[in-house]
């Protein structure tokens, strides 16, 4: 496909589009966090499928999948099992499939354009929306990072039998994250292998709990494939909404669109780009299947062992086992409420100390790995939005420091036994940021001027729009439920004012998205009639 040369374009067609502006050569995207490019074998080009090529593309999808296994997700899993039994496994499956489709859009954006979502946003949106979007995604990253760091600190507290306080675990996690983040100096593939080891530890840890508890396999399959929740009420509905909010995370869209740039792909070659999209989708499917199984392990363990249990039953069992944590459970007949800390304690009471320690090892692997990928997300976001050209250490220090202060404050002033309320708040905070990642990713992947032949077709535009609408609606319901439960007039008024500004900005993003999807009547400035903008100084000429 040949691109038009300037001399062939009429002068009146050279007007700069008001909505999507071209990028000057000096404003090219900076090199991302990984300078190394993994070579792709080309001697299998005649084959429809090559395991050697799939292996070469394997890595980014598994790093992306770690966000589906962070401590916030694990806590949502165990609460789901304890509150609804196996009945909501189908919601987890549906949320994972929706997540895969959204991650596909993120990967395609990075492969086709050679830029990640933050870089594309920085070049397409005006200054004020750009700053707002940057602040929103930073809030999402901070919220996620707090869950991940504190999850690691809770694991260390369990493993040390309470000797390491919450704030001490936070400091240890922050320090060792700095160390692990520099592993890629030994090679990108070694870094990816390290993440693979952490995922394996999670699979073995939660798999052990699954085998030890031995849930009813028929009930597991029934809950997974029968989209129905018999006898469920508002509590179970809120938990189902919480599953979707925990699985689909805004910063993960940024992360995946950046990680796929680590492979050596000739973007001027249409065949290579198409091939990369195919293998990345296969790899992401495998990675999210693994993460789904690990999540199922966590749900099924608590569904089989603790669904319908009361605080009094659990407290008595902990007393009988000699657990020092029996005071965690009040002597009443209310349904058991668990978090990742109490979850480990309960497993120890019912199945022995080994179950507690292995659970804590799995949580530590989840927290440590997700903390690292969260830091990478912060790197990419700051690179893209702020065009940072700082040294490697300075960028790591800045992005780590942003989350250190609020996390340390929580660790110092909050007890390890009473963190569930904070986790709910952080889930709400991240749910509110979802439209600011999902709407732009659909917008940009639908632009022919940006994606060329790889722009979303009509089916993807419609299905993507519906999926994003459903996910955002579900998460907004979660936010409304949380706010109404606060029972404070002042907070209601404050929330109303915030909601007006929030919805106004979402409508602005939707307006731009609809124009990209082809609703030209909304383009009041006549942008659609202008020629396509060029994002890089030389449009790739795809081989025929």
């Amino acid at each position: 496909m040949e691109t038009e040369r300037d001399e062939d374009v009429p002068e009146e067609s050279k007007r700069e589009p008001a909505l999507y502006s071209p990028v000057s050569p000096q404003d090219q995207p900076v090199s991302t966090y990984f300078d190394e490019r993994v070579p792709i074998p080309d001697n299998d080009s005649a084959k429809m499928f090559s395991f050697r090529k799939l292996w070469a593309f394997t890595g980014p999808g598994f790093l992306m999948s770690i966000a589906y296994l962070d401590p916030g997700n694990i806590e949502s899993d165990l609460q789901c099992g304890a509150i609804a039994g196996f009945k909501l496994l189908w919601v987890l499956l549906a949320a994972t499939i929706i997540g895969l489709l959204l991650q596909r859009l993120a990967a395609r954006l990075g492969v086709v354009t050679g830029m990640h979502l933050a870089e594309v946003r920085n070049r397409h949106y005006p200054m004020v929306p750009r700053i707002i979007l940057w602040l929103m995604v930073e809030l999402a990253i901070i919220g996620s990072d707090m869950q991940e760091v504190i999850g690691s600190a809770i694991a260390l507290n369990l493993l040390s039998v309470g000797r390491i306080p919450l704030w001490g675990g936070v400091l240890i996690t922050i320090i060792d994250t700095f160390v692990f983040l520099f592993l890629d100096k030994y090679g990108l593939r070694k870094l990816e292998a390290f993440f693979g080891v952490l995922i394996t530890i999670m699979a073995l840890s939660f798999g052990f709990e699954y085998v030890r508890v031995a849930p009813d396999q028929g009930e597991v399959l029934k809950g997974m494939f029968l989209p129905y929740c018999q006898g469920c009420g508002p509590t179970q509905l809120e938990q189902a909404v919480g599953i979707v909010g925990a699985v689909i995370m805004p910063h993960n869209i940024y992360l995946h669109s950046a990680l796929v740039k680590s492979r050596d792909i000739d973007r001027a070659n249409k065949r290579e780009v198409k091939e990369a999209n195919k293998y990345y989708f296969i790899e992401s499917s495998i990675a999210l299947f693994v993460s789904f199984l690990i999540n199922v392990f966590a749900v099924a363990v608590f569904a089989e062992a603790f669904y319908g249990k009361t605080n009094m039953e659990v407290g008595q069992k902990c007393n009988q086992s000699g657990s020092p944590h029996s005071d965690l459970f009040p002597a009443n007949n209310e349904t058991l409420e668990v978090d990742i800390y109490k979850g480990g304690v309960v497993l120890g009471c019912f199945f022995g100390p080994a179950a507690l320690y292995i659970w804590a090892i799995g949580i530590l692997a989840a927290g440590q790995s997700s903390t690292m990928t969260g830091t990478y997300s912060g790197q990419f976001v700051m690179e893209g939005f702020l065009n940072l050209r700082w040294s490697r250490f300075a960028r790591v220090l800045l992005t780590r420091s942003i989350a250190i202060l609020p996390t340390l404050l929580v660790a110092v002033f909050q007890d390890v036994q009473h963190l569930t309320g904070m986790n709910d708040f952080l889930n709400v905070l991240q749910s509110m940021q979802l439209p600011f990642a999902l709407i732009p990713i659909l917008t940009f992947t639908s632009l022919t001027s940006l994606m060329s032949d790889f722009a979303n077709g009509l089916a993807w535009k419609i299905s993507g729009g519906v999926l994003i609408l459903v996910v955002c609606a579900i998460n907004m319901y979660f936010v409304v439920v949380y706010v109404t439960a606060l029972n404070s007039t002042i907070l209601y008024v404050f929330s109303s004012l915030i909601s007006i500004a929030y919805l106004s900005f979402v409508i602005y993003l939707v307006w731009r998205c609809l124009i990209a999807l082809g609703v030209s009547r909304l383009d009041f400035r006549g942008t659609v009639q202008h020629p396509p903008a060029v994002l890089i100084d030389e449009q790739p000429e795809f081989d025929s």
Side-chain angles (χ1 to χ4, degrees), residues 211-238:
V211 172
R212 180 71 178 81
V213 174
D216 186 328
Q217 303 303 307
E219 289 297 314
V220 172
L221 293 175
K222 180 181 175 182
M224 196 180 300
F225 296 109
L226 184 63
Y228 182 66
C229 190
Q230 184 177 8
C232 291
T235 303
Q236 287 76 20
L237 177 60
E238 290 174 24

Coordinates of all heavy atoms in Angstrom, one line a residue, residues 211-238:
V211 N -6.0 -28.8 46.4 CA -5.9 -30.2 46.6 C -6.2 -30.6 48.1 O -6.9 -31.6 48.4 CB -4.5 -30.8 46.2 CG1 -4.3 -32.2 46.5 CG2 -4.3 -30.6 44.7
R212 N -5.7 -29.8 49.0 CA -5.9 -30.1 50.4 C -7.3 -30.0 50.8 O -7.8 -30.8 51.6 CB -5.0 -29.1 51.2 CG -5.1 -29.2 52.7 CD -4.4 -30.5 53.2 NE -4.4 -30.6 54.6 CZ -5.4 -31.1 55.3 NH1 -6.5 -31.5 54.7 NH2 -5.4 -31.2 56.6
V213 N -8.0 -29.0 50.3 CA -9.4 -28.8 50.7 C -10.3 -29.8 49.9 O -11.4 -30.2 50.4 CB -9.9 -27.4 50.4 CG1 -11.3 -27.2 50.6 CG2 -9.1 -26.4 51.4
A214 N -9.9 -30.1 48.6 CA -10.6 -31.1 47.8 C -12.1 -30.7 47.5 O -13.0 -31.4 48.0 CB -10.5 -32.5 48.3
P215 N -12.3 -29.6 46.9 CA -13.7 -29.1 46.6 C -14.4 -30.1 45.6 O -13.8 -30.8 44.9 CB -13.5 -27.7 46.0 CG -12.2 -27.7 45.4 CD -11.3 -28.6 46.3
D216 N -15.7 -30.0 45.7 CA -16.6 -30.9 44.8 C -16.4 -30.4 43.3 O -16.8 -29.3 43.0 CB -18.0 -30.7 45.2 CG -18.9 -31.7 44.4 OD1 -18.7 -32.0 43.2 OD2 -20.0 -32.1 45.0
Q217 N -15.8 -31.3 42.5 CA -15.5 -30.8 41.1 C -16.7 -30.6 40.3 O -16.7 -29.7 39.4 CB -14.6 -31.9 40.4 CG -13.3 -32.3 41.1 CD -12.5 -31.1 41.3 OE1 -12.1 -30.4 40.4 NE2 -12.0 -30.8 42.6
G218 N -17.8 -31.3 40.6 CA -19.0 -31.1 39.9 C -19.6 -29.7 40.2 O -20.1 -29.0 39.3
E219 N -19.5 -29.3 41.5 CA -19.9 -27.9 41.8 C -19.1 -26.8 41.2 O -19.6 -25.8 40.8 CB -20.0 -27.8 43.3 CG -21.0 -28.6 44.1 CD -22.4 -28.1 43.6 OE1 -22.7 -26.9 43.6 OE2 -23.3 -29.0 43.3
V220 N -17.8 -27.1 41.1 CA -16.9 -26.1 40.5 C -17.3 -25.9 39.0 O -17.4 -24.8 38.5 CB -15.4 -26.6 40.6 CG1 -14.5 -25.7 39.7 CG2 -14.9 -26.6 42.0
L221 N -17.5 -27.0 38.3 CA -17.9 -26.9 36.9 C -19.2 -26.3 36.7 O -19.5 -25.5 35.8 CB -17.8 -28.3 36.2 CG -16.4 -28.9 36.1 CD1 -16.5 -30.3 35.6 CD2 -15.5 -28.1 35.2
K222 N -20.2 -26.6 37.6 CA -21.5 -26.1 37.5 C -21.4 -24.5 37.7 O -22.1 -23.8 37.0 CB -22.4 -26.7 38.6 CG -23.8 -26.2 38.6 CD -24.6 -26.9 39.7 CE -26.0 -26.3 39.8 NZ -26.7 -27.0 41.0
G223 N -20.7 -24.1 38.7 CA -20.6 -22.7 39.0 C -19.9 -21.9 37.9 O -20.1 -20.8 37.7
M224 N -19.0 -22.6 37.2 CA -18.2 -22.0 36.1 C -19.0 -21.8 34.8 O -18.8 -20.8 34.1 CB -16.9 -22.8 35.8 CG -15.8 -22.1 35.1 SD -14.4 -23.2 34.8 CE -14.0 -23.7 36.5
F225 N -19.8 -22.7 34.5 CA -20.5 -22.7 33.2 C -22.0 -22.5 33.3 O -22.7 -22.4 32.2 CB -20.2 -24.0 32.4 CG -18.7 -24.2 32.1 CD1 -18.0 -25.1 32.8 CD2 -18.1 -23.3 31.2 CE1 -16.6 -25.3 32.5 CE2 -16.8 -23.5 30.9 CZ -16.0 -24.4 31.6
L226 N -22.6 -22.4 34.4 CA -24.0 -22.2 34.6 C -24.2 -20.7 35.0 O -24.0 -20.4 36.2 CB -24.7 -23.2 35.6 CG -26.2 -23.1 35.7 CD1 -26.9 -23.4 34.4 CD2 -26.7 -24.0 36.8
P227 N -24.6 -19.8 34.1 CA -24.7 -18.4 34.5 C -26.0 -18.1 35.3 O -26.9 -17.5 34.8 CB -24.7 -17.7 33.2 CG -25.2 -18.7 32.2 CD -24.8 -20.0 32.7
Y228 N -26.0 -18.6 36.5 CA -27.1 -18.4 37.3 C -26.7 -18.4 38.8 O -25.7 -19.0 39.2 CB -28.2 -19.5 37.1 CG -29.4 -19.4 37.9 CD1 -30.3 -18.3 37.7 CD2 -29.8 -20.3 38.9 CE1 -31.5 -18.2 38.4 CE2 -30.9 -20.2 39.6 CZ -31.8 -19.1 39.4 OH -33.0 -19.0 40.1
C229 N -27.4 -17.6 39.6 CA -27.0 -17.6 41.1 C -28.3 -17.8 41.9 O -28.9 -16.8 42.3 CB -26.3 -16.2 41.4 SG -25.6 -16.1 43.0
Q230 N -28.6 -19.0 42.2 CA -29.8 -19.3 42.9 C -29.7 -18.9 44.3 O -28.7 -19.1 45.0 CB -30.1 -20.8 42.8 CG -31.4 -21.3 43.5 CD -31.6 -22.8 43.3 OE1 -30.7 -23.5 42.9 NE2 -32.8 -23.2 43.7
G231 N -30.8 -18.2 44.8 CA -30.8 -17.7 46.2 C -29.9 -16.5 46.5 O -29.7 -16.2 47.7
C232 N -29.4 -15.9 45.5 CA -28.5 -14.8 45.7 C -29.2 -13.5 46.0 O -30.3 -13.3 45.4 CB -27.5 -14.6 44.5 SG -26.4 -15.9 44.3
G233 N -28.7 -12.6 46.8 CA -29.3 -11.4 47.1 C -28.4 -10.2 46.9 O -27.4 -10.4 46.1
P234 N -28.6 -9.0 47.5 CA -27.8 -7.9 47.2 C -26.3 -8.1 47.6 O -25.4 -7.6 46.9 CB -28.4 -6.8 48.1 CG -29.8 -7.2 48.3 CD -29.8 -8.7 48.3
T235 N -26.0 -8.9 48.6 CA -24.6 -9.1 49.0 C -23.9 -9.8 47.9 O -22.7 -9.5 47.6 CB -24.6 -9.9 50.3 OG1 -25.3 -9.2 51.3 CG2 -23.1 -10.1 50.7
Q236 N -24.5 -10.9 47.4 CA -23.9 -11.6 46.3 C -23.7 -10.8 45.0 O -22.7 -10.9 44.3 CB -24.7 -12.9 46.0 CG -24.5 -14.0 47.1 CD -25.4 -13.7 48.3 OE1 -26.3 -12.9 48.3 NE2 -25.0 -14.3 49.4
L237 N -24.7 -10.0 44.7 CA -24.7 -9.1 43.6 C -23.5 -8.1 43.7 O -22.7 -7.9 42.7 CB -26.0 -8.3 43.4 CG -26.0 -7.3 42.3 CD1 -25.8 -7.9 40.9 CD2 -27.4 -6.5 42.3
E238 N -23.3 -7.5 44.9 CA -22.2 -6.6 45.1 C -20.9 -7.4 44.9 O -19.9 -6.8 44.4 CB -22.3 -6.0 46.5 CG -23.4 -5.0 46.6 CD -23.5 -4.5 48.1 OE1 -22.5 -4.6 48.8 OE2 -24.6 -4.1 48.5

